[in-house]
Amino acid sequence: MSKIFVAGATGRVGQEVVKQLAAAGQEVLAAGRKLDRLPKGELITPVAFDFTWLPDQMAKLLTGVDAIVFTAGSRGKNLLQVDLNGAVKLMQAANLAGIKRFVMLSSAYSMDQAMWGR
């Protein structure tokens, strides 16, 4: 069994990732700002997490973690702090914690249908 940290676990994709990982028997740390909105379960531990933290603060939560899945997004409300800097800081935290696996969900041109299919 692996221990997987899911950043953005309150979002639509994050919730599905958490659910599927737990169903596959993986231990999941479901991370987000609002503990009351985070998924819970036998293999799911909700974890308070904020992208405004420094990488060394983030790294403290990553002890024993085998992989990180980044599904967070600000929905355009805080692109620099969450979508850009938050991702980079979490990558730095992963490096500090010695984690080699980092999966990042992202998209480009998702709101511009003219770019789809290119």
Side-chain angles (χ1 to χ4, degrees), residues 29-68:
L29 298 179
R33 285 180 295 124
K34 299 177 182 175
L35 273 175
D36 60 322
R37 291 186 51 212
L38 290 167
K40 299 168 189 70
E42 185 178 332
L43 293 173
I44 303 166
T45 303
V47 176
F49 184 81
D50 196 309
F51 287 108
T52 63
W53 295 346
L54 296 173
D56 61 331
Q57 291 173 286
M58 294 176 178
K60 291 175 185 173
L61 294 177
L62 302 176
T63 302
V65 168
D66 299 297
I68 296 172

Side-chain angles (χ1 to χ4, degrees), residues 1-112:
M1 173 171 44
S2 294
K3 186 181 212 180
I4 303 170
F5 184 91
V6 179
T10 59
R12 188 177 42 208
V13 174
Q15 288 180 26
E16 186 63 28
V17 168
V18 167
K19 183 173 95 177
Q20 287 188 25
L21 287 170
Q26 305 304 317
E27 182 181 352
V28 181
L29 298 179
R33 285 180 295 124
K34 299 177 182 175
L35 273 175
D36 60 322
R37 291 186 51 212
L38 290 167
K40 299 168 189 70
E42 185 178 332
L43 293 173
I44 303 166
T45 303
V47 176
F49 184 81
D50 196 309
F51 287 108
T52 63
W53 295 346
L54 296 173
D56 61 331
Q57 291 173 286
M58 294 176 178
K60 291 175 185 173
L61 294 177
L62 302 176
T63 302
V65 168
D66 299 297
I68 296 172
V69 179
F70 181 96
T71 67
S74 68
R75 296 185 182 168
K77 296 176 186 167
N78 201 348
L79 291 171
L80 293 178
Q81 187 63 41
V82 173
D83 303 54
L84 174 64
N85 294 333
V88 171
K89 289 193 291 186
L90 186 54
M91 288 175 202
Q92 292 170 332
N95 189 48
L96 290 171
I99 299 167
K100 303 292 182 206
R101 292 174 145 177
F102 191 104
V103 177
M104 182 168 180
L105 172 72
S106 188
S107 65
Y109 305 110
S110 63
M111 302 300 288
D112 185 358

